[in-house]
Amino acid sequence: MLRFFILLLSLLLVSLEADNKKDGLAYLNTIREHAGLIKFKPNKALEKAATAHAKYLIRNQTKSHYEKKGRSSFTGTTPSKRVLKAGYPTAFVMENLSTNTKGYQRSIESIFSAIYHRFAFFSFDKDEIGFGSALGKKKRKINRAYVYNIGSSAIADLCSDSFSMTYGMYYVKDICKQSSKMIPKSLIDEKKDQTRRKNGEIILYPYAGQRGIWPAFYNESPDPLPGYKVSGFPISVQFNPVRYNTIELKSFRLYDASGKEIKETKILQQKNDQNHLFTKFEFALMPLKRLEFDTTYTAHFEAVADGRKVKRRWAFKTTKPEETLFRITKNKSKLNVKAGSTVVLYIVPNTKKDVMSTYISRGGIKVSFLDQNTLKVTFPKKRSSGRVSLEMGKRKIFFDVE
């Protein structure tokens, strides 16, 4: 009977994991479709590689795309080597990952706030993906890991074909499992363009009319905003390489709900991206301060593409917390709250490095991080006669629980 229960439980967990991956892929594809891109197809080999790397991240307590030989759960030093070992035909892949987010949806949302990783999810020449995840002990620094391997079915198909060498043609090797296999570069470019033609001409993100955007960006490796521990959610524009050749940016601006321009921004493009990861087709507006919750923003973009003017104007809205939101700007604050209620505290950062890492709570309140400047707080069901407070460095909040 016990054996049956264990088997039933394990089958249930496998089913739940499959459903979570299915829901996660549906969520990612919904974003891609709204933005003007085709859906990703699931791929088992990519999933196998992603799952293996997620386990490596947990067991070795790291956040890297690279693995070290000899360590527990090692399957390959790079994403390319790991997917080949898992049975994927080509090394032409990209990898995204996140740690300590809860569930695929939150993981995907966190990746979209990181500009370089966003562009991987929005790749024009990829059309399939594998989701992988792993859980660890709660007391460890990294207890959840989510990995996404992104590939191209068209390039994978080329690796199953044979090609004879022709004088005057350029060939590429180290792209298939048989590293010595030579594939005509013209064919690779042709296959990339076939996939690109299925996608829209210009991709905006957040897309027009999108709601529920988290207002902050914290960190990414490599770092697009060195020196900033907290800033606003990036806004991006991507041009489809199969439809454009040259783009000259004229202006990229952001306005708040009252129509006032947000002046403190940095525009990233190929010529000033110090990490050299932007292509000539990619542009991003980086707000240097957090955006506000529950606010509509409007972006204006102007460029000259292949000699013709391109203009885009679109709006999106940041998320509205379900609970009552308190915006905290002072070092000492006093709030009136109801017993048994749950509120959200947005601790407005004073500087570009003003983030929280710890807190001290009193009075039996339950606290959890929504991000490094935002806390979710639940108060006891019974009114307390003692001190109910929250302390975060220089910031102190006292609560009158009614």
Side-chain angles (χ1 to χ4, degrees):
M1 184 66 180
L2 178 60
R3 183 180 298 176
F4 171 76
F5 173 76
I6 293 173
L7 177 60
L8 181 62
L9 179 60
S10 64
L11 289 174
L12 177 61
L13 290 174
V14 170
S15 177
L16 289 174
E17 182 183 6
D19 287 344
N20 288 337
K21 288 179 181 178
K22 184 178 179 181
D23 292 343
L25 179 58
Y27 181 69
L28 175 56
N29 277 335
T30 296
I31 294 174
R32 282 177 57 87
E33 283 191 297
H34 279 295
L37 295 158
I38 59 174
K39 291 182 178 181
F40 278 142
K41 300 174 292 186
N43 180 277
K44 291 293 184 182
L46 292 175
E47 180 182 317
K48 182 180 178 181
T51 301
H53 189 53
K55 291 177 180 177
Y56 177 92
L57 298 179
I58 293 292
R59 291 175 181 173
N60 295 282
Q61 292 293 286
T62 181
K63 302 177 182 179
S64 177
H65 290 287
Y66 300 95
E67 296 185 4
K68 292 184 178 180
K69 194 172 183 180
R71 288 196 174 184
S72 176
S73 300
F74 173 84
T75 54
T77 52
T78 65
S80 294
K81 290 180 179 179
R82 292 193 293 270
V83 298
L84 290 174
K85 184 174 181 179
Y88 196 62
T90 176
F92 181 64
V93 296
M94 305 176 84
E95 183 177 84
N96 271 341
L97 65 83
S98 74
T99 57
N100 290 342
T101 48
K102 191 174 181 180
Y104 280 111
Q105 180 170 331
R106 291 295 297 272
S107 168
I108 290 166
E109 289 172 351
S110 72
I111 289 172
F112 269 108
S113 74
I115 191 64
Y116 298 130
H117 290 70
R118 176 191 302 178
F119 289 154
F121 270 160
F122 277 172
S123 174
F124 285 99
D125 56 23
K126 307 290 191 302
D127 63 352
E128 54 189 4
I129 194 168
F131 281 45
S133 64
L135 300 177
K137 297 177 181 178
K138 290 185 178 180
K139 291 183 179 180
R140 303 190 77 186
K141 190 174 181 180
I142 300 174
N143 53 53
R144 290 174 180 267
Y146 298 88
V147 179
Y148 309 86
N149 287 141
I150 308 161
S152 165
S153 61
I155 303 299
D157 288 343
L158 282 180
C159 287
S160 62
D161 294 336
S162 299
F163 305 95
S164 55
M165 301 288 286
T166 302
Y167 181 76
M169 289 188 70
Y170 289 98
Y171 289 82
V172 177
K173 64 177 183 177
D174 294 324
I175 198 172
C176 300
K177 192 165 187 176
Q178 304 90 352
S179 59
S180 60
K181 190 167 192 173
M182 306 289 282
I183 299 180
K185 183 179 181 301
S186 59
L187 267 183
I188 293 173
D189 293 339
E190 180 184 321
K191 292 299 183 181
K192 288 182 182 179
D193 285 347
Q194 282 180 8
T195 305
R196 288 168 176 158
R197 288 190 185 95
K198 298 175 183 178
N199 292 303
E201 293 186 6
I202 300 175
I203 304 303
L204 314 174
Y205 198 80
Y207 55 76
Q210 188 169 0
R211 303 172 70 89
I213 294 296
W214 198 259
F217 162 64
Y218 284 97
N219 51 61
E220 183 176 14
S221 181
D223 192 349
L225 283 179
Y228 284 80
K229 289 186 177 181
V230 55
S231 57
F233 190 89
I235 295 90
S236 63
V237 177
Q238 294 169 265
F239 288 77
N240 192 330
V242 80
R243 303 183 188 278
Y244 295 94
N245 292 308
T246 61
I247 297 99
E248 181 184 358
L249 177 66
K250 294 299 183 181
S251 68
F252 200 172
R253 295 175 180 172
L254 185 66
Y255 300 84
D256 64 17
S258 66
K260 182 180 178 180
E261 183 179 357
I262 296 171
K263 295 285 190 178
E264 294 184 73
T265 64
K266 182 175 182 179
I267 310 302
L268 288 182
Q269 53 185 309
Q270 186 181 53
K271 65 183 181 182
N272 71 340
D273 171 29
Q274 67 174 22
N275 297 307
H276 309 293
L277 294 175
F278 274 62
T279 70
K280 65 180 181 179
F281 303 101
E282 297 167 342
F283 305 86
L285 182 150
M286 311 289 290
L288 298 182
K289 291 185 178 180
R290 278 184 61 128
L291 303 182
E292 294 292 334
F293 285 104
D294 192 25
T295 302
T296 298
Y297 291 90
T298 302
H300 290 203
F301 178 89
E302 293 187 21
V304 174
D306 297 337
R308 298 196 305 176
K309 290 183 179 180
V310 172
K311 293 184 178 182
R312 292 292 187 273
R313 180 180 183 275
W314 76 102
F316 62 90
K317 191 172 184 179
T318 54
T319 191
K320 179 182 180 181
E322 295 179 2
E323 301 81 7
T324 300
L325 174 68
F326 290 100
R327 192 175 185 274
I328 309 298
T329 58
K330 299 178 181 179
N331 282 343
K332 288 187 179 181
S333 305
K334 186 175 181 180
L335 302 177
N336 295 321
V337 296
K338 293 183 178 181
S341 67
T342 299
V343 302
V344 171
L345 305 179
Y346 167 37
I347 317 299
V348 180
N350 290 322
T351 69
K352 62 185 180 182
K353 296 183 178 181
D354 186 10
V355 298
M356 298 180 293
S357 57
T358 60
Y359 59 83
I360 299 173
S361 62
R362 298 181 179 89
I365 59 178
K366 295 180 180 179
V367 185
S368 60
F369 280 98
L370 295 181
D371 66 34
Q372 288 181 270
N373 293 98
T374 313
L375 299 173
K376 188 174 183 178
V377 183
T378 301
F379 300 92
K381 293 183 179 179
K382 292 183 180 180
R383 181 177 179 178
S384 174
S385 57
R387 171 177 285 190
V388 181
S389 65
L390 191 58
E391 183 176 332
M392 303 139 293
K394 295 180 180 180
R395 304 285 186 103
K396 296 178 177 64
I397 306 173
F398 302 94
F399 302 97
D400 185 1
V401 183
E402 301 173 347

